Amino acid sequence: MANTTCAHDPQVPDNTTNPQSDVAIAQAHPLLDITDIAQRTGIPDSALIPYGRTKAKVDPTQLSSRGQAKLVLVTAMSPTPAGEGKSTTLIGLVDALHLRNHKVAAALREPSQGPVMGIKGGAAGGGYSQVVPMEDINLHFTGDFHAITSATNTLAAVIDNHIHQGNALNIDPRKVTWQRCLDVNDRALRGVVTGLGGPAHGVPAETGFTITAASEIMAVLCLATDLTDLKRRLGAMTIGYTYDDQPVTVSQLGVAGALTALMKEAINPNLVQTLGGAPAFIHGGPFANIAHGCNSLLATRTAMSCADIVVTEAGFGSDLGAEKFFDIKARVGKLHVDAVVVVATIRSLKYNGGVAREDLDKENHEALAKGIENLGAHIGNIRQFDVEPIVAINSFPSDTEAEAHYLQEWAQDQGIRLVNSHVWAHGGHGGQELAEAVEQVLAGREQRTRSPQQIYDPEQGVEHSITTLARRVYGASEVEFSSKARKQLNQLKKNGLDALPVCISKTQYSFSDDPKKLGAPRGHTLHVRELIPRTGAGFVVVLTGDVMTMPGLPKNPAALHIDIDSEGSISGLF
Amino acid sequence: MANTTCAHDPQVPDNTTNPQSDVAIAQAHPLLDITDIAQRTGIPDSALIPYGRTKAKVDPTQLSSRGQAKLVLVTAMSPTPAGEGKSTTLIGLVDALHLRNHKVAAALREPSQGPVMGIKGGAAGGGYSQVVPMEDINLHFTGDFHAITSATNTLAAVIDNHIHQGNALNIDPRKVTWQRCLDVNDRALRGVVTGLGGPAHGVPAETGFTITAASEIMAVLCLATDLTDLKRRLGAMTIGYTYDDQPVTVSQLGVAGALTALMKEAINPNLVQTLGGAPAFIHGGPFANIAHGCNSLLATRTAMSCADIVVTEAGFGSDLGAEKFFDIKARVGKLHVDAVVVVATIRSLKYNGGVAREDLDKENHEALAKGIENLGAHIGNIRQFDVEPIVAINSFPSDTEAEAHYLQEWAQDQGIRLVNSHVWAHGGHGGQELAEAVEQVLAGREQRTRSPQQIYDPEQGVEHSITTLARRVYGASEVEFSSKARKQLNQLKKNGLDALPVCISKTQYSFSDDPKKLGAPRGHTLHVRELIPRTGAGFVVVLTGDVMTMPGLPKNPAALHIDIDSEGSISGLF
């Protein structure tokens, strides 16, 4: 349908043959004033806090709900270096629904500057399916990440100062679990020693920095229901242990108020627009491999009180962001997902079938047939959450008709709804087929009762939760706990934290904890390295395999290609 | 005059007997919409970038100058724990001139969050002379400090990554001079080792963090004349040396564009309002002890293109901020100062005369007579810059009539214009006497030709500049260079950097480099520890005595007293 529309509609941009950079497309687009977007979205003036002409924060306490909005979750097959276009597909779907006169809004995560300067460049969609102003969204935005960084490092300074100034709480400096954070990709900050130089300069400590997107305060911001809940969660964070192994919290240090004051603006969701003029709430940005991977609950709820359909995302595949969406975010926020879109590309399927990156443009049925198992496994996972997935194939010029045909046959065999999406090249006009499929699923959904959408019951304990996820979602047959993790399991029980949900940190490239095992591996062992209770976020972080909470820069980082001219126009953000 | 006015004007707040906290006063004040402030100030809509309803950034490229504004610089005697109220006096003076129907604007530095969470609490004036919204100004504001922190740490990551990924530029990891920064008071970050954990985690390095206010990018932001100059300066920053001692710059690393893109919003001055409704441009925040201590040149220039009188400040006393204002900022920006206000309090004079902090409320003529030498030395310094100072005594309830009388007599003897200021308690109404004195000096100034206002000529070399300042401004008789500093002097000559102005880092508590030598010490020795060329800022940082570029928190930090209620109302910021 999308292609037919395109051929006859003079307003539809046809840019498949004339590729431009994302930033060039975004800059060429005339933006509406954010007050206009707010007005159309029914957001009253009293709730709007403008940040320049095209960005705003929205105060959710000033909004009243319109009633029950439908919630669509966008996830993807396992990511590959080829790129899948999950955000692009989401934004295109929103614009497609917007064109079809639905009252629709997007709820998305904020990009992290670390990867923007590293591998990815921008992270605000692509082509003709972007949220704008993309340069602002990618760089600083409204300062939410910076507020989190500030609060995290202020707390670290207060902890070290407490120990330095007499240590009234009897904190064991060797058992401080609170780490500083920065929104950079900086491998040199993973392992550091601080407090050097003598007694005037604090107590030496072996510690490290995480990237801000993986910090606990990021998770707290994304799960808080209001300012009071935010303060309660910040106060409940565990920063380390005393010499006699008692946990020490932020409240005991007396800075829950100061940290909450630092998060006063950050708690309000940000409003921007899609290229199609639909409202997009972009707020919070935890990574889905090393954190829980969903935009803030407040942004999703705010979007749901302004629209009939909200399209939201969770990072990486069904094994990471989507699982955490259901088991962590939806549990806290009492959300129910009405439809799931799984984004895939023919290139990524071939990559999962063993094709090298440089050969992805070549037709290869064998690899496609093998790689499709990855998609199949993600679909199986989504079905466990009692919702029927729609597969959106994000089209690339190199896709052949034979490959597309093969995919359709496969989908029919499996009883899967599979549609092609052309939103990168055509925006909302290229997403009509996908929008129609979503409409059908939502319509069918109305007849059904709402079943629980969680995989595990946290009450059965952390070990059970991890084992359940490993078997039912990752396809593992065994879970191996390191001796450190075993000790930590016992400590969790001792401290009454064994019924918390789990937030598993795992490589995004494989269902297993080995990034090289592509496709749909089965029978593998999940290696649990470490367990960290995040008592403010309300979950236990489970580190598996070699996953690291601070990325590094590649040899040729994106920062080398970003530039700005004397008029302030930015280039090199892709 | 101020007191007479007060007695008969029902609108004048009289709060000497009912002290409220600064934040409570600020919160009780109805703020004007920032668009109204902009309109009254003649700032066109096209130049205004609102950040919420009461803050905005102003794009200077969208403004045209109104002609030659008069520039008033506010400095102070040497600071003491008693507090002098420099910002309070400045803001009160602006409101006083505003009441007298002058087209007046303030140009001020942004507070740093480190001290806000540490010793000071808020830093946006006090009592009935504040800039508002004070909570926002004190916490995050419009994100300028965070942009600087981001750019600084992104550069650090790029440097370490360059070395890790093959080190094409042959950088000696032991000679990297670029340090990371954070806007916290965190002594544990002064000396750190990074890159631990093995080859996958970078090259181990001994380094440290400075507070953001003392970073080179802060200085660059504050001295840049426009975006092009900002990019040139960022590119010119020296990050370290090669194995054969050649300096390496940001341009060689290829990230001048990316760093400038990160500073795109931060370069625009911020506009807020005083409690009296006058415009205040608050932008940039280098400390005056460990940095150059003046708000951005762009903010001063923007204020000067919107007003007839601009009142600006420089941190701490004439030996630090004011000297750097003339010798660094005014030199770069071709500014001419028409009047200088030196703020003092009777309490601080007594403290400089040897009275303990707890006894400052008691009348003590002997201590006053001794401590007044400190004020006298600051006045002598200001006169060297070819401008006649006005002394503003910031009144405290504990000041006695006899003490005030003594001060007046002293001033008359010395031919000094001395006025009393009551702006803390009465806002602009309490600053009428001061405003009148400023008017008189500005009127007298019109008859005069403009002489150069610098103490030293950088062309004569760094050693000469340091020695000149030490003798003529600090009252030292000798300068002692450490052997490290001697070597660095030679390296500066070798690298063609010997004609840069100097930015001396020195304790603020004394004219000497020993914080315990109060009053007006003479004949002491200045100890120069280290010289660091800041080729982007365009000056050589000179570290003297024991001054540190990363403060620590006190035993009872302000963070413990800051709180926020469920409605978002902040308390505990003083």
Side-chain angles (χ1 to χ4, degrees):
Chain A
M1 175 182 168
N3 285 336
T4 329
T5 314
C6 289
H8 299 285
D9 187 338
Q11 291 192 299
V12 176
D14 178 9
N15 300 280
T16 38
T17 53
N18 180 20
Q20 284 182 279
S21 76
D22 292 346
V23 68
I25 291 170
Q27 284 169 351
H29 179 85
L31 269 71
L32 292 169
D33 199 289
I34 199 65
T35 53
D36 292 342
I37 296 285
Q39 204 165 28
R40 292 180 185 192
T41 311
I43 296 168
D45 230 36
S46 60
L48 199 76
I49 309 151
Y51 276 62
R53 305 284 175 189
T54 54
K55 309 180 294 266
K57 280 193 167 279
V58 176
D59 179 353
T61 65
Q62 301 292 313
L63 297 176
S64 49
S65 178
R66 308 179 67 247
Q68 195 59 53
K70 294 279 197 308
L71 187 59
V72 180
L73 177 68
V74 178
T75 181
M77 63 176 290
S78 299
T80 73
E84 289 64 49
K86 183 155 54 83
S87 303
T88 304
T89 304
L90 185 157
I91 297 160
L93 170 59
V94 167
D95 280 347
L97 290 163
H98 187 64
L99 281 174
R100 296 167 80 88
N101 294 317
H102 289 288
K103 204 159 166 53
V104 59
L108 285 160
R109 283 175 300 161
E110 308 180 45
S112 158
Q113 263 175 215
V116 166
M117 292 290 160
I119 278 185
K120 287 171 78 172
Y128 286 83
S129 289
Q130 294 188 56
V131 279
V132 279
M134 76 86 94
E135 311 95 300
D136 297 26
I137 295 168
N138 279 305
L139 304 174
H140 307 304
F141 200 20
T142 58
D144 298 336
F145 275 57
H146 295 324
I148 294 166
T149 303
S150 267
T152 300
N153 296 325
T154 296
L155 175 55
V158 167
I159 296 166
D160 278 1
N161 187 59
H162 181 91
I163 296 170
H164 177 77
Q165 303 274 9
N167 200 5
L169 288 171
N170 197 34
I171 299 168
D172 186 341
R174 303 163 306 174
K175 294 182 200 144
V176 171
T177 50
W178 191 255
Q179 294 201 316
R180 290 173 181 82
C181 76
L182 279 177
D183 189 16
V184 290
N185 281 16
D186 190 345
R187 67 173 66 72
L189 291 177
R190 288 174 192 153
V192 307
V193 171
T194 55
L196 300 175
H201 311 294
V203 177
E206 192 179 347
T207 180
F209 286 67
T210 58
I211 191 163
T212 301
S215 68
E216 181 165 11
I217 298 186
M218 175 61 86
V220 164
L221 176 78
C222 287
L223 294 170
T225 51
D226 57 23
L227 199 61
T228 304
D229 185 47
L230 182 77
K231 188 168 161 182
R232 180 191 65 75
R233 287 174 178 273
L234 291 171
M237 297 190 303
T238 303
I239 62 92
Y241 298 86
T242 61
Y243 281 101
D244 45 351
D245 283 326
Q246 296 305 304
V248 179
T249 65
V250 169
S251 289
Q252 288 175 266
L253 282 165
V255 290
L259 299 189
T260 311
L262 284 170
M263 299 296 291
K264 174 177 179 270
E265 308 296 327
I267 195 178
N268 291 324
N270 306 294
L271 177 67
V272 291
Q273 61 196 285
T274 63
L275 286 180
F281 294 90
I282 306 196
H283 192 223
F287 292 158
N289 49 353
I290 53 180
H292 81 281
C294 307
N295 65 260
S296 78
L297 178 57
L298 273 170
T300 304
R301 282 191 174 169
T302 302
M304 290 175 83
S305 64
C306 300
D308 296 329
I309 304 176
V310 169
V311 188
T312 190
E313 50 117 30
F316 300 127
S318 68
D319 51 331
L320 290 168
E323 183 275 310
K324 292 163 182 171
F325 185 96
F326 287 109
D327 285 316
I328 296 175
K329 177 177 171 177
R331 197 191 302 262
V332 168
K334 300 185 177 57
L335 300 174
H336 194 90
V337 175
D338 299 294
V340 170
V341 174
V342 182
V343 179
T345 65
I346 288 176
R347 289 158 56 87
S348 292
L349 290 171
K350 288 191 283 191
Y351 186 87
N352 261 278
V355 174
R357 195 176 171 178
E358 55 274 21
D359 296 327
L360 290 174
D361 285 350
K362 296 181 198 144
E363 190 170 281
N364 187 330
H365 285 273
E366 202 181 331
L368 187 58
K370 198 167 160 224
I372 216 166
E373 290 174 14
N374 182 270
L375 179 57
H378 284 290
I379 291 165
N381 280 345
I382 294 303
R383 284 177 169 158
Q384 295 193 73
F385 294 106
D386 190 47
V387 58
E388 187 53 34
I390 301 160
V391 172
I393 300 296
N394 181 19
S395 302
F396 273 72
S398 63
D399 300 347
T400 70
E401 257 187 60
E403 287 171 331
H405 182 73
Y406 178 89
L407 263 180
Q408 276 294 0
E409 298 255 297
W410 173 84
Q412 266 171 13
D413 282 356
Q414 309 272 323
I416 296 164
R417 206 182 296 248
L418 181 145
V419 296
N420 291 303
S421 163
H422 308 275
V423 298
W424 189 91
H426 304 293
H429 296 278
Q432 291 301 312
E433 202 186 344
L434 175 56
E436 216 173 332
V438 168
E439 284 171 356
Q440 287 166 10
V441 169
L442 294 182
R445 199 76 185 168
E446 280 173 11
Q447 272 71 62
R448 295 191 45 188
T449 53
R450 296 185 153 197
S451 311
Q453 295 188 311
Q454 278 90 33
I455 288 271
Y456 62 88
D457 172 14
E459 295 294 329
Q460 297 192 49
V462 165
E463 183 169 357
H464 178 267
S465 301
I466 297 171
T467 310
T468 306
L469 286 175
R471 296 205 173 126
R472 290 185 54 191
V473 177
Y474 305 164
S477 58
E478 263 186 274
V479 180
E480 196 178 286
F481 290 84
S482 73
S483 63
K484 186 177 187 179
R486 278 272 161 229
K487 272 184 214 152
Q488 289 167 326
L489 270 180
N490 288 332
Q491 197 171 28
L492 288 174
K493 285 176 195 155
K494 213 182 85 186
N495 293 328
L497 303 172
D498 196 42
L500 288 178
V502 294
C503 179
I504 300 190
S505 292
K506 182 183 74 63
T507 177
Q508 66 270 34
Y509 297 115
S510 171
F511 282 103
S512 78
D513 60 15
D514 175 357
K516 296 209 177 63
K517 285 193 180 132
L518 303 185
R522 293 282 150 191
H524 48 91
T525 298
L526 182 75
H527 302 87
V528 173
R529 205 169 85 215
E530 197 174 341
L531 303 172
I532 308 162
R534 296 290 183 209
T535 46
F539 54 60
V540 173
V541 168
V542 181
L543 299 179
T544 72
D546 297 323
V547 78
M548 277 173 299
T549 54
M550 171 56 92
L553 289 173
K555 181 149 189 169
N556 183 7
L560 303 185
H561 309 287
I562 296 171
D563 203 358
I564 182 167
D565 67 17
S566 59
E567 307 294 308
S569 182
I570 291 176
S571 55
L573 271 177
F574 294 99
Chain B
M1 174 180 171
N3 285 334
T4 330
T5 314
C6 289
H8 299 284
D9 188 337
Q11 290 192 301
V12 177
D14 178 10
N15 299 281
T16 39
T17 53
N18 181 19
Q20 283 182 279
S21 77
D22 292 346
V23 67
I25 292 170
Q27 284 169 351
H29 180 86
L31 269 71
L32 292 169
D33 201 290
I34 199 64
T35 53
D36 292 342
I37 296 285
Q39 204 166 27
R40 294 180 184 193
T41 311
I43 296 169
D45 230 39
S46 61
L48 198 76
I49 308 152
Y51 277 61
R53 305 283 175 189
T54 55
K55 310 180 294 263
K57 280 191 168 280
V58 176
D59 179 352
T61 65
Q62 302 293 313
L63 297 176
S64 49
S65 179
R66 307 179 69 248
Q68 195 58 53
K70 294 280 195 309
L71 187 58
V72 180
L73 176 68
V74 178
T75 180
M77 62 177 290
S78 300
T80 73
E84 289 65 48
K86 183 157 51 84
S87 304
T88 304
T89 305
L90 186 158
I91 297 160
L93 171 59
V94 167
D95 280 348
L97 290 163
H98 187 65
L99 281 174
R100 296 167 80 89
N101 294 317
H102 289 287
K103 204 159 164 52
V104 58
L108 285 161
R109 284 175 300 161
E110 308 180 46
S112 157
Q113 263 176 213
V116 166
M117 292 290 160
I119 278 184
K120 287 171 76 172
Y128 286 82
S129 289
Q130 295 188 55
V131 280
V132 280
M134 76 85 93
E135 311 95 300
D136 297 27
I137 294 168
N138 279 305
L139 303 174
H140 307 304
F141 200 19
T142 58
D144 298 337
F145 275 57
H146 295 325
I148 294 166
T149 303
S150 267
T152 300
N153 296 325
T154 296
L155 176 55
V158 167
I159 295 166
D160 279 1
N161 188 59
H162 180 92
I163 295 170
H164 177 77
Q165 303 274 9
N167 200 7
L169 287 172
N170 197 33
I171 299 168
D172 186 340
R174 302 162 307 172
K175 294 183 199 142
V176 171
T177 50
W178 192 254
Q179 295 202 317
R180 290 173 180 82
C181 75
L182 279 177
D183 189 16
V184 289
N185 281 17
D186 190 347
R187 66 174 65 73
L189 291 177
R190 287 175 194 153
V192 306
V193 172
T194 55
L196 299 175
H201 310 294
V203 177
E206 193 178 345
T207 180
F209 287 68
T210 58
I211 191 162
T212 301
S215 68
E216 181 165 11
I217 298 185
M218 175 61 85
V220 164
L221 176 76
C222 288
L223 294 170
T225 51
D226 57 22
L227 199 61
T228 304
D229 185 46
L230 181 77
K231 189 168 162 182
R232 180 190 65 73
R233 287 173 178 272
L234 290 172
M237 296 190 304
T238 303
I239 61 93
Y241 298 86
T242 61
Y243 281 100
D244 45 351
D245 282 326
Q246 296 305 304
V248 179
T249 64
V250 170
S251 289
Q252 288 174 266
L253 282 165
V255 290
L259 299 190
T260 310
L262 284 171
M263 300 295 291
K264 173 176 179 270
E265 308 295 326
I267 195 179
N268 291 323
N270 306 294
L271 177 68
V272 292
Q273 61 196 284
T274 64
L275 285 179
F281 294 89
I282 305 196
H283 192 222
F287 292 157
N289 50 351
I290 53 180
H292 83 280
C294 305
N295 66 259
S296 78
L297 178 57
L298 273 170
T300 304
R301 282 191 174 168
T302 302
M304 289 176 84
S305 64
C306 300
D308 296 328
I309 304 176
V310 170
V311 188
T312 190
E313 50 116 30
F316 300 128
S318 67
D319 51 330
L320 289 169
E323 183 275 311
K324 292 164 183 172
F325 184 95
F326 287 109
D327 285 316
I328 296 175
K329 177 177 170 177
R331 196 190 303 262
V332 168
K334 300 184 178 56
L335 300 174
H336 194 89
V337 174
D338 299 293
V340 170
V341 174
V342 182
V343 180
T345 66
I346 290 178
R347 289 158 56 88
S348 292
L349 290 171
K350 288 189 284 189
Y351 186 88
N352 262 277
V355 174
R357 194 176 171 179
E358 54 274 22
D359 296 328
L360 289 175
D361 285 350
K362 297 181 196 140
E363 189 170 281
N364 188 331
H365 284 274
E366 203 181 331
L368 186 58
K370 199 167 161 223
I372 215 166
E373 290 174 15
N374 182 269
L375 179 57
H378 285 289
I379 291 165
N381 280 345
I382 295 302
R383 284 178 170 158
Q384 295 193 72
F385 294 106
D386 190 48
V387 57
E388 187 53 32
I390 301 160
V391 173
I393 301 295
N394 181 19
S395 302
F396 272 73
S398 64
D399 301 347
T400 70
E401 256 184 60
E403 287 171 331
H405 182 74
Y406 177 89
L407 263 179
Q408 276 294 359
E409 298 256 296
W410 173 83
Q412 266 170 13
D413 281 359
Q414 309 272 324
I416 296 164
R417 207 182 295 248
L418 181 144
V419 296
N420 291 301
S421 163
H422 307 274
V423 299
W424 189 91
H426 303 293
H429 295 277
Q432 291 300 313
E433 202 186 344
L434 175 56
E436 218 173 330
V438 167
E439 283 172 358
Q440 286 165 11
V441 169
L442 293 182
R445 199 75 185 168
E446 280 173 11
Q447 272 71 60
R448 295 193 44 188
T449 53
R450 297 186 151 194
S451 310
Q453 296 188 311
Q454 278 90 32
I455 288 272
Y456 62 87
D457 171 14
E459 295 293 330
Q460 298 193 49
V462 165
E463 183 170 357
H464 179 266
S465 301
I466 297 171
T467 310
T468 305
L469 285 175
R471 296 206 174 125
R472 290 185 53 191
V473 177
Y474 305 164
S477 58
E478 265 188 88
V479 180
E480 197 178 287
F481 290 84
S482 72
S483 62
K484 185 177 187 180
R486 278 270 161 232
K487 271 185 214 151
Q488 289 166 326
L489 270 180
N490 288 332
Q491 195 171 27
L492 287 175
K493 284 176 195 156
K494 214 182 85 186
N495 292 331
L497 303 172
D498 196 41
L500 288 178
V502 294
C503 179
I504 301 190
S505 292
K506 182 183 73 63
T507 177
Q508 66 271 34
Y509 297 115
S510 171
F511 281 104
S512 78
D513 62 13
D514 174 0
K516 296 207 178 65
K517 285 194 180 131
L518 304 185
R522 292 282 148 192
H524 48 89
T525 299
L526 182 76
H527 302 87
V528 173
R529 204 169 85 215
E530 196 174 342
L531 304 171
I532 308 161
R534 295 290 183 210
T535 45
F539 53 60
V540 174
V541 168
V542 181
L543 299 179
T544 72
D546 297 324
V547 78
M548 278 173 299
T549 54
M550 171 57 91
L553 289 173
K555 180 146 188 170
N556 183 6
L560 303 186
H561 309 287
I562 296 171
D563 203 359
I564 183 168
D565 68 16
S566 59
E567 308 294 307
S569 181
I570 290 176
S571 55
L573 271 177
F574 294 98

